[in-house]
Amino acid sequence: MNVIVKQYNVKREDGYHNRISLVDKNSIPVSPYTVIFLNSWIPQKSISDKKRKSNELKFFLQHLTNVQPDDLKAPIGIDIIQRALSGQFLSRSECRSFTDACRFKVKKDNNSNVLLMEKFNNKTLQNAIHSSKVSRETIDDGTKHGRIKTALSFLEFLYEEIHGQFLAPDFVKNNYFSDKHEFELAIANKIKKTEAPSFEESKIPPHIYLRLLEIIQIDSPDNPFKHAKQRNSLIVQLILETGERRGAISKLKISDCQFEGTGDQIRITKTPNDLTDPRVNPSSQKTDAHSAYVDPNIMIELDKYIEYQRKRFTKSELHEFIFIAEHDSKGTKGEPLNVKGINGIFKILSKALGFHITPHLGRHKWNEIFSDLTKSMSDEQADKLRKYAMGWSKTSGMVDVYNKFKHSVEVREIQRARQAKIMSAGVNDGK
């Protein structure tokens, strides 16, 4: 079964809603159950999250297509919908075959956009697992467990949708909970790291960060951009200045900017179904709405960009989004710049710096600098300010993640001072 992930937009009174479906080569949904699962059962998240879940479900279904069932007389391929309808679900060996397959990459067929998976029988898999070839084909734990969790969630959906959580016969319950146990066991069996993560190591080393600030200037002789220098400089500076996500910057509107008065703020909004956003993949903002401080000099340059550069593009008059495409790729010149465009900016900068840099690393760097600037404050006071600046909820645990850098550096400084004191005492004793 060749499965394709298809995205489409549905217009309603409250705006455009992104929908995802798994379809065959004729664009026919593979099952009503997959449509309901992807668009109603799983939590409503950004389109990128929906695509990830869709590809994980696709991986599960296509794996089952290539599996030889335990009954060797049965044809190759498992129809999980029919299995669920009968209450049979998957056997233990079929569950383990899938969780083993989740460790491997998928290979793209050059003749289509359909992802194909290599077939491994149990003996081949065990023999190959230690080889360098398989090592190159394996994936990280996060991707592996994401596939298993989505498959388990789909089985749970089928179980409750078809049989009802409390009305299912005992044999159906036993089969379903047996599968659930196997999948949960595979998720819990994480590879333990032999080394603790080094939180004291900066995500962007100081010399790289300073070099980035230098080459992003429009008049820098080392600026790597041939076109859209002003736009690209402003995008990067806003990310570094505010610590905001790329989605928040790409959905920034003229009315979100405070150019009057203090002229030092932008408003970060959360509008998941924005009727004014013409992009196929509308930009999204995960955190709560909030205001972010921006250096007045950057705001002045942003105002100039809007007034003189942005106005040169006719399509910019049809929307209020600040940053626009300045090349006529696929006729998009003047339309809102999407997150892929921002990724492209950082890809070029990475090449120029000789260091892989992303918008999210810029967010980490903002938090490192914030930790340094709030050393004199209590942790409680600093955490409150950080949550507001980042737009996190009051119960968010993200503060703990970023504070690990601050705490690790502090511990290192204490240890160094202690070691220096010990060394000094030793020298004095030897006199």
Side-chain angles (χ1 to χ4, degrees), residues 2-21:
N2 290 336
V3 181
I4 302 170
V5 176
K6 184 177 182 180
Q7 176 191 340
Y8 54 97
N9 293 330
V10 176
K11 187 176 181 181
R12 293 183 177 175
E13 292 182 359
D14 58 341
Y16 286 96
H17 292 257
N18 293 298
R19 291 291 181 264
I20 292 286
S21 184

Side-chain angles (χ1 to χ4, degrees), residues 3 25 49 90 119 152 159 171 174 190 213 279 281 345 401 419:
V3 181
K25 61 181 180 180
D49 288 332
L90 299 174
K119 299 178 184 178
L152 175 56
Y159 172 68
F171 84 94
N174 291 336
K190 297 180 179 179
L213 294 176
R279 287 170 284 203
N281 296 322
I345 293 171
V401 174
Q419 187 66 25

Side-chain angles (χ1 to χ4, degrees), residues 56 79 133 144 169 174-175 188 205 226 240 264 269 271 279 309 319 321:
E56 289 167 350
D79 186 335
K133 177 181 183 298
K144 169 190 169 183
N174 291 336
N175 290 338
K226 295 181 180 179
L240 298 178
D264 60 1
T269 60
T271 50
R279 287 170 284 203
Q309 178 65 10
H319 62 86
F321 295 96

Side-chain angles (χ1 to χ4, degrees), residues 358-374:
T358 65
H360 197 68
L361 284 185
R363 186 172 173 83
H364 274 281
K365 192 64 180 180
W366 184 95
N367 275 279
E368 290 175 15
I369 295 171
F370 181 91
S371 296
D372 187 54
L373 294 175
T374 56

Side-chain angles (χ1 to χ4, degrees), residues 53-298:
K53 287 289 184 184
S54 300
N55 279 301
E56 289 167 350
L57 179 59
K58 170 183 172 178
F59 182 94
F60 179 49
L61 298 179
Q62 289 197 165
H63 168 80
L64 296 180
T65 301
N66 297 326
V67 168
Q68 173 67 60
D70 293 341
D71 181 3
L72 297 179
K73 295 180 180 179
I76 291 178
I78 295 174
D79 186 335
I80 190 60
I81 306 296
Q82 290 301 318
R83 288 282 192 94
L85 287 167
S86 68
Q88 184 180 356
F89 291 96
L90 299 174
S91 69
R92 179 176 296 179
S93 63
E94 289 167 350
C95 286
R96 292 180 179 178
S97 172
F98 169 68
T99 56
D100 278 342
C102 284
R103 291 181 288 177
F104 295 93
K105 295 178 181 179
V106 290
K107 290 190 173 182
K108 187 169 285 188
D109 183 350
N110 293 330
N111 298 320
S112 72
N113 63 348
V114 179
L115 293 177
L116 304 175
M117 290 177 291
E118 284 194 45
K119 299 178 184 178
F120 292 95
N121 59 40
N122 288 336
K123 185 176 180 180
T124 304
L125 187 62
Q126 294 305 319
N127 289 338
I129 193 68
H130 300 295
S131 71
S132 59
K133 177 181 183 298
V134 172
S135 296
R136 291 193 299 269
E137 296 301 322
T138 55
I139 59 175
D140 61 86
D141 279 352
T143 304
K144 169 190 169 183
H145 293 136
R147 291 171 175 174
I148 299 173
K149 287 177 182 178
T150 296
L152 175 56
S153 183
F154 187 58
L155 290 181
E156 180 184 6
F157 163 72
L158 292 176
Y159 172 68
E160 295 193 11
E161 187 75 11
I162 295 171
H163 300 285
Q165 188 173 3
F166 304 106
L167 301 177
D170 288 342
F171 84 94
V172 175
K173 290 181 180 178
N174 291 336
N175 290 338
Y176 163 68
F177 282 105
S178 175
D179 287 3
K180 183 177 181 181
H181 173 73
E182 287 294 332
F183 281 17
E184 289 178 342
L185 192 64
I187 294 169
N189 187 24
K190 297 180 179 179
I191 300 174
K192 294 182 179 179
K193 303 296 182 183
T194 56
E195 295 182 3
S198 178
F199 288 107
E200 71 272 11
E201 187 175 331
S202 175
K203 296 293 183 180
I204 305 178
H207 70 283
I208 295 292
Y209 186 71
L210 292 174
R211 179 63 175 159
L212 172 61
L213 294 176
E214 179 185 343
I215 68 172
I216 199 57
Q217 299 304 315
I218 298 174
D219 56 355
S220 170
D222 298 323
N223 188 303
F225 300 103
K226 295 181 180 179
H227 307 284
K229 288 187 177 183
Q230 186 180 16
R231 181 200 68 184
N232 297 347
S233 176
L234 286 167
I235 287 173
V236 175
Q237 288 186 80
L238 283 175
I239 289 174
L240 298 178
E241 178 83 6
T242 65
E244 298 295 343
R245 291 185 172 89
R246 57 182 182 170
I249 300 301
S250 68
K251 73 191 296 293
L252 192 64
K253 295 182 179 181
I254 297 173
S255 58
D256 294 328
C257 301
Q258 182 180 315
F259 294 117
E260 305 297 331
T262 56
D264 60 1
Q265 287 187 24
I266 58 174
R267 190 161 51 96
I268 305 301
T269 60
K270 190 174 183 179
T271 50
N273 299 310
D274 191 344
L275 280 171
T276 67
D277 196 337
R279 287 170 284 203
V280 176
N281 296 322
S283 294
S284 59
Q285 163 62 12
K286 293 183 179 180
T287 52
D288 294 337
H290 60 282
S291 294
Y293 170 83
V294 180
D295 186 290
N297 292 319
I298 297 178

